[in-house]
Amino acid sequence: MVRDHTRLGNFVTRFAPSPTGLLHLGHAFSALTAWQAAQAAGGEFLLRIEDIDGARARPEYEAAIYQDLAWLGLTWPGPVLRQSERVGVYAAALDQLGHLGATYPCRCTRADIRAALSAPQEGETQFHPGGAVYPGTCRGRSMAEGGPGDAIRLDLDRALAILGERELNWQETGAVHAGTHVLDPEAMRRQIGDVVLGRKDIGAAAYHLSVVVDDAGQGITHVIRGEDLFEATPIHRLLQALLELPVPVWHHHTLIRDAAGKRLAKRNDAQAIRTYREAGRTPEDVRRMMAEN
Ligand code: GLU
């Protein structure tokens, strides 16, 4: 499904929750921020269910997402895009990257990666959105050598070489990082590395690939999401360049924290929108609580 957003005005945003738990106040804040931006711009607010992780996604949480967002007063046009129905689209994108020579099959287990990373010559492990930076053990294997169960990784150096001298930049409108950002290959090597993009045999895509493919497929012009995903943006921008997809504007909003200053987690049902609703609170109460947070 490719939407022609030029016909819909030039502001299309989305809320893209994963149905792996109940939505909490942080999600309400994210959804309302996107919703209000779409209203202010006379644009569109779309919903996407990121249920690509079949082991953790649950139908009851998806049902709860629809109910909780509707209770908050949000509306969205159908059909809702569900990632579990888009496996073929992600597989095609993986193939496209494979044909460019920008991927390789990786058979490392988590234990292999940990062992390689603790070897003295590998230096420090770095945190990045997908965990520790992969040490490159399988880099150089050809796609034809891939076996069942192998993960498909982005070959970051090859990807950067394919893009050559081209400067990749993007616009950010969130207050904390507002301005033009330029892709920094050195920082990417250090902090992101060869991320997993999917698993060929089961046709599964990893977050970085599915989010980029779906933002393009839904015609998203403005990605509005939490600050926790700010560090993932360079990899998304790089994948957009490789796949020749349109580049949206990003807005990373600050995260709602609990009284102890900790990020809200889905596990914490005390902060679930549903808990507030069942306690007799109104959507206005929730909006007020978020404003005060
Ligand atoms: N599914 C992601 C989450 O629930 C959000 C992805 C995005 O907004 O890019 O955290």
Side-chain angles (χ1 to χ4, degrees), residues 173-185:
T173 57
V176 182
H177 305 284
T180 302
H181 292 258
V182 179
L183 192 126
D184 175 350

Side-chain angles (χ1 to χ4, degrees), residues 31-203:
L32 281 166
T33 303
W35 162 264
Q36 281 162 0
Q39 298 292 301
E44 251 201 312
F45 168 87
L46 304 180
L47 181 60
R48 176 163 83 229
I49 301 295
E50 300 214 325
D51 57 352
I52 197 79
D53 182 350
R56 291 170 62 229
R58 299 257 180 80
E60 59 269 30
Y61 289 134
E62 183 178 333
I65 288 171
Y66 301 135
Q67 286 165 8
D68 291 347
L69 294 180
W71 178 75
L72 281 171
L74 307 192
T75 56
W76 52 90
V80 169
L81 188 146
R82 298 172 73 238
Q83 292 193 324
S84 54
E85 292 166 3
R86 308 238 317 146
V87 167
V89 184
Y90 308 136
L94 264 185
D95 276 349
Q96 202 179 330
L97 295 170
H99 289 136
L100 288 173
T103 57
Y104 60 87
C106 172
R107 60 186 161 204
C108 293
T109 61
R110 278 169 196 266
D112 292 337
I113 296 172
R114 262 198 310 274
L117 284 168
S118 59
Q121 70 272 22
E122 297 296 343
E124 285 176 31
T125 64
Q126 302 275 348
F127 174 79
H128 78 116
V133 169
Y134 178 63
T137 318
C138 287
R139 193 182 299 137
R141 286 176 84 210
S142 78
M143 286 305 290
E145 289 172 70
D150 282 4
I152 309 296
R153 285 188 185 273
L154 177 73
D155 185 330
L156 179 62
D157 278 331
R158 293 269 305 148
L160 291 166
I162 290 163
L163 294 169
E165 297 298 298
R166 234 171 99 192
E167 181 186 279
L168 297 186
N169 53 37
W170 65 93
Q171 300 300 320
E172 163 77 38
T173 57
V176 182
H177 305 284
T180 302
H181 292 258
V182 179
L183 192 126
D184 175 350
E186 260 327 298
M188 282 193 85
R189 286 188 185 99
R190 224 171 34 242
Q191 294 162 3
I192 297 180
D194 293 354
V195 288
V196 171
L197 298 178
R199 281 184 194 277
K200 198 158 190 208
D201 53 336
I202 52 170

Side-chain angles (χ1 to χ4, degrees), residues 14-18 27 48 50 207 211 215 223-226 228-229 236 266:
R14 54 33 169 213
F15 178 54
S18 307
H27 293 105
R48 176 163 83 229
E50 300 214 325
Y207 162 70
V211 78
D215 282 337
V223 171
I224 298 174
R225 62 185 181 188
D228 53 328
L229 291 168
H236 298 171
K266 280 188 196 150

